[in-house]
Amino acid sequence: GVVLTTVNITLVAPLVSSVTVTTVSSEIVADGASSTVITATVKDTKGNNIPDGTTVNFATTAGALSAAAATTANGRATVTLTSPTYLGSATVTATAGGVSGNTSVSFIPGPVNAIALTAQPNNLSSDGSSTSTIQAVVTDAQGNVVADGESISFSVTAGTGLISAPFAATSNGIATVTYTASYTPGLETVTAQSGVVSTTVDINLVAASVGSVSVTAGSSEIVADGASIALITAAVKDTKGYDIGDGTTVNFTTTAG
């Protein structure tokens, strides 16, 4: 007949059961510009994607987010995290319906931008044995120390001193080699380089002071005939007991012969 009746059905928004947060890159350069996309995947209690338009709130412990909140599409909400200019890490948390999830992103050094080079000490005797510690502090464009293992080349670009190794790897931003003095007084220059970035430090070599002169004769007796000879040798040491530099003048005198 014409008798009708109705019944109401109430639709209740599904409850959020899980929020899974992922990042495209787990490491980005700490340059204030590098970024990575953060995605929150939101599921209901039945494991289905939450309805489109569900609000997801985002927060980070470091760096900057492109937005504090985003809405879901196909169960996913995304924002962008931009790095700060310092090293460290960030925990990015996404929250929807009282349920949270998080992920971590590390902020790492950029490429070599500057090298600060020192020599300790920077004044040595030109004795062929005195040494100086050459230390390169290597930083990126933001002044952060570079990653461990960055290869730095070292060379003597003026002078004839020696370097203990042509390359050294950074540890905590520092690469170290040892310089050994030559026998020639004057300034010598050590260069440290990585790619197109290089710097120098000068080391002043001072003529070594004579510490001792030992004289020996090849023969203690020779015939007094005006022709026989004996070889006279002067062994000259510096104050540290090392051979004096080549080219040092030694004056000889005799009371007879």
Side-chain angles (χ1 to χ4, degrees):
V2 294
V3 179
L4 298 174
T5 189
T6 62
V7 64
N8 292 326
I9 300 173
T10 302
L11 299 180
V12 180
L15 297 175
V16 173
S17 176
S18 67
V19 178
T20 303
V21 185
T22 58
T23 176
V24 171
S25 300
S26 61
E27 296 180 336
I28 55 177
V29 174
D31 56 7
S34 296
S35 63
T36 183
V37 174
I38 306 294
T39 300
T41 302
V42 187
K43 301 287 186 180
D44 64 17
T45 54
K46 293 184 178 181
N48 299 315
N49 289 338
I50 209 73
D52 289 356
T54 299
T55 297
V56 180
N57 295 307
F58 290 87
T60 182
T61 58
L65 293 170
S66 57
T71 55
T72 57
N74 297 319
R76 294 177 174 83
T78 61
V79 293
T80 299
L81 174 70
T82 301
S83 68
T85 57
Y86 54 84
L87 305 182
S89 63
T91 299
V92 181
T93 302
T95 304
V99 179
S100 298
N102 62 67
T103 190
S104 294
V105 178
S106 296
F107 306 125
I108 61 174
V112 175
N113 181 73
I115 302 173
L117 195 61
T118 57
Q120 292 294 333
N122 61 359
N123 284 282
L124 298 174
S125 294
S126 55
D127 54 14
S129 59
S130 293
T131 61
S132 175
T133 298
I134 308 298
Q135 186 178 84
V137 178
V138 189
T139 53
D140 67 11
Q142 307 303 321
N144 300 311
V145 296
V146 298
D148 288 354
E150 193 76 46
S151 183
I152 307 299
S153 68
F154 292 87
S155 59
V156 178
T157 49
T160 56
L162 300 176
I163 292 293
S164 57
F167 295 94
T170 56
S171 176
N172 296 319
I174 297 173
T176 304
V177 294
T178 300
Y179 163 87
T180 301
S182 69
Y183 289 102
T184 305
L187 284 181
E188 300 211 343
T189 302
V190 176
T191 298
Q193 183 168 357
S194 175
V196 298
V197 180
S198 66
T199 191
T200 63
V201 65
D202 289 333
I203 299 171
N204 185 36
L205 299 186
V206 180
S209 298
V210 174
S212 66
V213 179
S214 300
V215 182
T216 57
S219 300
S220 60
E221 296 179 339
I222 56 175
V223 175
D225 57 6
S228 297
I229 61 172
L231 181 65
I232 307 299
T233 301
V236 186
K237 303 287 186 179
D238 65 17
T239 53
K240 294 182 179 179
Y242 297 111
D243 290 342
I244 206 71
D246 291 352
T248 299
T249 299
V250 179
N251 296 308
F252 293 87
T253 62
T254 180
T255 59

